[in-house]
Amino acid sequence: MSNFQIEIDFSNIDLASLETEEDFQREAKILLPKALVKLGESVGEKTWEELQQKLQATGGKLKSSPSEKRRFIQETGRTYQRNASNREKQELEDYIVEQLRQRK
């Protein structure tokens, strides 16, 4: 996960109300599904770029329409959300808690 930067939207969270460890964990669990999609989309974007570079290097035809790229990235995000391991989910949840603490 450390190789990918994801933007998590904390704007709807009342940071002042986060006092206990349970408060932080609860908010992280609420944010987790969208964060998983964002992380998957980040992976999808990197994968798309790598595939395009490999195709170009081998003389292949580039599939670079913006709509195809967007569809690929969105589908990768949804797939990642559905298939993330418990360890990946826990690591991302811990990351969210850490981000919440830094913003408090």
Side-chain angles (χ1 to χ4, degrees), residues 15-28:
L15 294 171
S17 72
L18 301 179
E19 296 175 4
T20 67
E21 182 63 25
E22 291 77 25
D23 293 339
F24 283 99
Q25 293 292 330
R26 183 185 65 249
E27 287 302 327

Side-chain angles (χ1 to χ4, degrees), residues 63-85:
K63 287 179 70 178
S64 59
S65 85
S67 64
E68 285 180 292
K69 180 179 179 180
R70 186 173 52 253
R71 197 167 32 251
F72 178 83
I73 291 170
Q74 288 172 340
E75 185 58 35
T76 304
R78 288 188 297 268
T79 300
Y80 188 84
Q81 180 191 31
R82 286 190 305 268
N83 297 330
S85 70

